Amino acid sequence: MDYEKKYLQLLKEKYTTKAAVLTEIINLEAILHLPKGTEHFVSDLHGEYGAFQHILRTGSGAIKEKINELFGENLTPEKRNQLAMLVYYPEEVMKQETLDEEFFKDNLEKMILLTRYCGKKYSRSKVRKALPEKYAYILEELLTEIKKEASEQKNGYCQAIVEKIICLGQAEDLIIGLGKTISRLVVDQLHVVGDIYDRGPAPDKIMDALKMLPAVDIQWGNHDINWMGAVAGSPLSMINVVRICARYDNLEILEESYGINLRPLLEYATGQFTPTENFAPKNNPDHGELTVHEADTLNCLQQACAVLQFKLEDALIARRPEFQLDQRRVLAQLDFSQQTYTFADKKYQLTDFPWSHFDENQPNLLNAEEEKILQQLLKAFQHSPRLKQHTDFLMDKGGMYLCYNENLLLHGCIPLHENGDFKALHLKEKSYAGKELLDFYEEQVRTAYKIPTETQNFATDLLWYLWCGECSSLFGKLAMTTFERYYVDDTTCQIEEKNAYYRLRNEEKVATDILRCFGLASSGHIINGHTPVKEKRGEDPVKAHGKVLVIDGGFAKSYQEKTGIAGYTLVFNSFGLQLVSHLAFTSVAEVVKASQDVLSTRRLVEEVPHRLLIKETNIGKKLQADKEQLERLFDRWGELS
């Protein structure tokens, strides 16, 4: 059978005339020669919706650059700032302005010119899709005809359209729509390199915003995998999610945003535990100071979650010897008679450890009340429609890593030995390392998500391994010492030793070997999040002579004291790579009042020798393949029935 002929016959059903095929071939050829779209990389957003929205609205300063390029000679810096704020936050700015005909005429013209300028490297079809739907036809006319210098007739034509828009009371709505269009045009693809969840107050709002974007991908982070694990049926992942929310005064995300009933767990926690120093919650800057009652409740809730977590964890490690986590069976290292804990052959006295909550002979045994609470809570997580929508989106748009335009995007690390060899994990009678290991992890994550009622199967248990396992690419440390941080006052046993990757990624050869393992060119880059770059201590986010870029700069407020900044973003346009570091975002009101972007520096990481075109990208390769298929259809048109 001529399979190509059969395929071309199916393709012919879409393009019903030879002229239509020819038109599409020419269209694709033209698109391939357009400049590459701008990629925008963010990482470790940790629920900081306000800062994330500001980055999206400003394009990490790209919009301001376009305004300066277009209007630099004709507008003062103050006027350019005012225009930028109108693009970013049109509704907020217009509340402070006198909205008369002069304001609308002046700003509509500028925003239409700016839209035209930002869209000039795209096809008309792509720009049309970015326009607010109700004004698309009118705006296409204006974008085509309006110019800084035009004939009197054309100016009159454009002015008549603008005046009618104002007269009909649509100018305010149009300015809002144009602001969104401009923000969309300066960023062609958004890459989120992990950790949307935990610490900050509004990961749900970030997820809602991501769902509205036309082109986005997500590389799962260790905190994301916990939330996905909860919906996939892991009670251990679930109780860890609750514990972290309690630690960071962030129960609202569970109770109000996702409608998860914590009452049975809260009643158990406050009835069974009393506040202790090591479980004092972190103050959430968005909530103000905690009352004594609130702090005590969160303290007790953390303790209850910790007890349940360590019981579940001990049982999981016992049933999964292949995970090689026996050294983390902390409950097996307890001496009930002496009330001590053994770590690395040394005995420690535990501080405020709740001995009465553990059975000496079977410390991981859950009592009837604990079993009931866990079952009720897991059901609440799995029956939250909004949470399910968000984790479905993480599954649909996400993965363990992404190879895109010769760059390798992954949240944490590639586990390595000290000599730079790939570290292997032996599971299911096979050893996995490097790319194969991450592919195996992703396959198991997707398997677990498909069987949410099976709470102790291999794939679901592996979700927990990804949170804290020695060979997890999302964790990247020898061990997670949560137990020691809570109950042992000696800090020497609280240290979490990092995988060799975090030292070796400074070496260009190691980075090149990793890229080659993933089938990427040595000219590419590894883009990481996960480990906050302590810039104020002199740490450089650019490593291995530019081969590795670490873009976790501390969006989460809890990290900013260590990093000295409030996050990085990476911009990859047709001219090269730029790293942008951000100052702390306070509020939209403060930004609008100051009329200044919250950017600190833009740093050129790499300039390409020639302007990159779409034909040199992942999308370009697909379009080239589509074009070649259409060319075969065109050549064989006459022989197809």
Side-chain angles (χ1 to χ4, degrees):
M1 181 184 289
D2 187 342
Y3 287 105
E4 181 182 68
K5 184 176 180 181
K6 188 173 182 65
Y7 170 76
L8 294 177
Q9 285 173 331
L10 292 172
L11 191 60
K12 189 177 179 181
E13 293 176 10
K14 181 178 179 182
Y15 299 94
T16 54
T17 67
K18 197 171 183 181
V21 177
L22 181 62
T23 299
E24 186 61 12
I25 290 170
I26 295 169
N27 177 51
L28 291 175
E29 182 67 33
I31 290 172
L32 288 168
H33 287 82
L34 287 171
K36 167 193 176 298
T38 300
E39 297 171 65
H40 201 174
F41 303 77
V42 298
S43 176
D44 296 84
L45 298 167
H46 284 301
E48 296 293 345
Y49 173 71
F52 172 65
Q53 272 292 87
H54 187 73
I55 284 164
L56 281 188
R57 292 188 183 219
T58 65
S60 285
I63 291 175
K64 190 64 172 294
E65 280 192 346
K66 299 291 186 186
I67 289 172
N68 290 339
E69 290 168 10
L70 182 61
F71 298 109
E73 296 179 1
N74 301 317
L75 293 179
T76 65
E78 182 184 5
K79 290 288 186 183
R80 295 200 298 271
N81 280 338
Q82 289 172 356
L83 177 59
M85 288 301 127
L86 185 62
V87 174
Y88 307 156
Y89 300 110
E91 291 156 298
E92 291 79 0
V93 169
M94 285 191 286
K95 286 176 184 176
Q96 302 176 9
E97 297 287 344
T98 303
L99 302 182
D100 54 19
E101 186 174 353
E102 182 181 353
F103 172 87
F104 286 129
K105 274 187 176 180
D106 182 44
N107 286 292
L108 274 173
E109 181 180 352
K110 289 189 181 76
M111 291 186 77
I112 291 166
L113 286 168
L114 183 59
T115 302
R116 187 170 183 264
Y117 187 72
C118 292
K120 68 179 183 178
K121 72 175 182 179
Y122 300 118
S123 66
R124 287 183 65 178
S125 172
K126 187 159 188 170
V127 173
R128 186 187 308 121
K129 290 174 183 175
L131 297 173
E133 189 175 349
K134 65 190 283 191
Y135 301 111
Y137 174 76
I138 295 169
L139 285 172
E140 274 200 88
E141 285 291 296
L142 290 171
L143 292 173
T144 302
E145 303 297 346
I146 196 166
K147 297 177 182 178
K148 283 184 181 179
E149 297 174 3
S151 66
E152 186 177 335
Q153 292 89 338
K154 287 294 184 182
N155 270 335
Y157 172 76
C158 294
Q159 285 172 11
I161 294 175
V162 171
E163 286 172 3
K164 200 61 179 176
I165 289 169
I166 296 168
C167 178
L168 294 172
Q170 300 300 301
E172 195 171 343
D173 189 42
L174 181 54
I175 284 175
I176 293 168
L178 284 170
K180 292 177 181 177
T181 296
I182 292 164
S183 294
R184 179 180 288 191
L185 289 173
V186 297
V187 175
D188 192 51
Q189 178 85 23
L190 180 70
H191 306 289
V192 184
V193 193
D195 277 359
I196 296 164
Y197 279 88
D198 289 336
R199 293 191 169 85
D204 59 314
K205 291 182 180 178
I206 293 176
M207 291 301 299
D208 287 339
L210 292 175
K211 287 174 66 179
M212 298 299 292
L213 297 177
V216 61
D217 54 73
I218 301 164
Q219 292 70 62
W220 300 324
N222 52 319
H223 288 271
D224 305 322
I225 216 76
N226 256 333
W227 288 75
M228 293 160 64
V231 177
S234 169
L236 188 45
S237 296
M238 173 198 68
I239 205 65
N240 193 43
V241 164
V242 180
R243 180 183 63 79
I244 292 172
C245 285
R247 186 163 180 76
Y248 288 89
D249 179 23
N250 207 13
L251 296 187
E252 286 181 6
I253 180 66
L254 295 171
E255 295 180 301
E256 296 182 17
S257 299
Y258 288 134
I260 293 169
N261 180 16
L262 297 178
R263 184 55 48 195
L265 178 60
L266 283 165
E267 289 176 354
Y268 166 76
T270 53
Q272 295 285 329
F273 297 88
T274 56
T276 64
E277 184 178 348
N278 287 346
F279 283 86
K282 308 282 187 183
N283 188 61
N284 187 328
D286 297 284
H287 293 169
E289 290 293 326
L290 288 164
T291 66
V292 172
H293 174 71
E294 288 170 338
D296 287 351
T297 300
L298 293 172
N299 190 309
C300 294
L301 181 57
Q302 269 190 87
Q303 291 186 67
C305 289
V307 166
L308 294 170
Q309 178 176 321
F310 296 133
K311 286 185 177 184
L312 291 167
E313 187 175 71
D314 190 87
L316 184 150
I317 295 170
R319 70 174 174 266
R320 297 294 172 202
E322 62 268 44
F323 288 175
Q324 300 177 41
L325 290 173
D326 277 354
Q327 75 279 11
R328 295 310 301 160
R329 285 196 68 186
V330 293
L331 300 187
Q333 308 304 318
L334 297 176
D335 186 326
F336 281 77
S337 62
Q338 298 184 31
Q339 295 202 335
T340 59
Y341 165 66
T342 301
F343 178 85
D345 298 324
K346 183 178 177 181
K347 288 186 180 294
Y348 295 88
Q349 292 293 324
L350 297 182
T351 302
D352 297 321
F353 185 74
W355 294 96
S356 63
H357 287 272
F358 296 88
D359 183 308
E360 181 176 357
N361 298 315
Q362 195 175 351
N364 65 26
L365 184 68
L366 295 163
N367 63 40
E369 184 180 10
E370 291 168 340
E371 286 271 21
K372 183 178 179 181
I373 287 169
L374 286 168
Q375 289 173 8
Q376 289 174 332
L377 196 56
L378 189 60
K379 184 177 180 180
F381 266 82
Q382 293 188 312
H383 287 79
S384 166
R386 191 157 181 249
L387 179 56
K388 182 65 163 55
Q389 287 172 7
H390 288 167
T391 53
D392 282 352
F393 187 77
L394 284 171
M395 293 297 296
D396 183 42
K397 297 293 184 179
M400 291 295 297
Y401 67 91
L402 178 68
C403 296
Y404 197 86
N405 292 340
E406 297 303 328
N407 294 319
L408 172 62
L409 286 61
L410 72 154
H411 178 67
C413 70
I414 301 297
L416 299 176
H417 290 291
E418 288 296 329
N419 65 356
D421 291 344
F422 293 121
K423 192 178 183 71
L425 183 64
H426 190 79
L427 293 170
K428 293 196 169 184
E429 301 181 351
K430 183 176 178 181
S431 286
Y432 299 91
K435 181 179 181 295
E436 274 195 345
L437 178 63
L438 271 65
D439 288 338
F440 176 76
Y441 284 154
E442 180 162 336
E443 175 190 328
Q444 295 303 310
V445 170
R446 296 191 184 282
T447 297
Y449 200 75
K450 290 176 183 175
I451 48 172
T453 58
E454 298 182 29
T455 61
Q456 294 186 7
N457 66 84
F458 175 86
T460 306
D461 285 348
L462 193 69
L463 288 169
W464 178 250
Y465 183 90
L466 286 171
W467 168 253
C468 62
E470 180 183 351
C471 210
S472 165
S473 59
L474 300 182
F475 178 49
K477 296 178 184 178
L478 185 62
M480 185 174 287
T481 58
T482 306
F483 182 89
E484 290 80 2
R485 290 197 303 273
Y486 276 140
Y487 300 118
V488 182
D489 288 337
D490 189 336
T491 58
T492 58
C493 65
Q494 299 174 8
I495 296 169
E496 296 180 345
E497 183 183 337
K498 291 182 180 179
N499 181 265
Y501 172 86
Y502 292 102
R503 175 179 59 81
L504 295 172
R505 69 181 176 183
N506 292 298
E507 298 180 14
E508 189 171 353
K509 181 183 181 305
V510 171
T512 302
D513 287 346
I514 291 172
L515 289 167
R516 189 180 298 116
C517 169
F518 283 81
L520 299 171
S522 59
S523 59
H525 310 82
I526 300 171
I527 300 170
N528 282 161
H530 190 51
T531 51
V533 176
K534 299 174 180 65
E535 187 176 278
K536 76 174 187 179
R537 298 184 190 175
E539 185 180 355
D540 193 343
V542 181
K543 304 178 187 296
H545 299 102
K547 292 278 107 188
V548 179
L549 305 168
V550 185
I551 60 169
D552 181 3
F555 277 105
K557 293 183 177 71
S558 55
Y559 288 141
Q560 289 170 11
E561 187 177 341
K562 296 178 181 178
T563 62
I565 58 171
Y568 291 115
T569 49
L570 184 68
V571 178
F572 183 20
N573 59 26
S574 56
F575 296 106
L577 283 159
Q578 283 187 319
L579 188 70
V580 186
S581 60
H582 299 266
L583 299 174
F585 177 86
T586 51
S587 68
V588 172
E590 287 295 319
V591 171
V592 172
K593 182 180 178 181
S595 195
Q596 291 289 340
D597 296 346
V598 287
L599 303 173
S600 52
T601 56
R602 294 178 72 89
R603 172 181 172 184
L604 182 65
V605 175
E606 182 176 279
E607 188 173 12
V608 293
H610 65 273
R611 193 173 192 188
L612 294 172
L613 303 180
I614 287 177
K615 67 179 181 179
E616 300 169 89
T617 67
N618 281 43
I619 291 173
K621 291 172 185 174
K622 182 182 182 305
L623 294 179
Q624 179 66 33
D626 291 345
K627 182 173 74 74
E628 290 170 1
Q629 290 167 357
L630 288 169
E631 287 170 343
R632 288 197 291 274
L633 174 61
F634 187 82
D635 291 339
R636 298 186 64 178
W637 187 269
E639 63 184 270
L640 299 172
S641 58

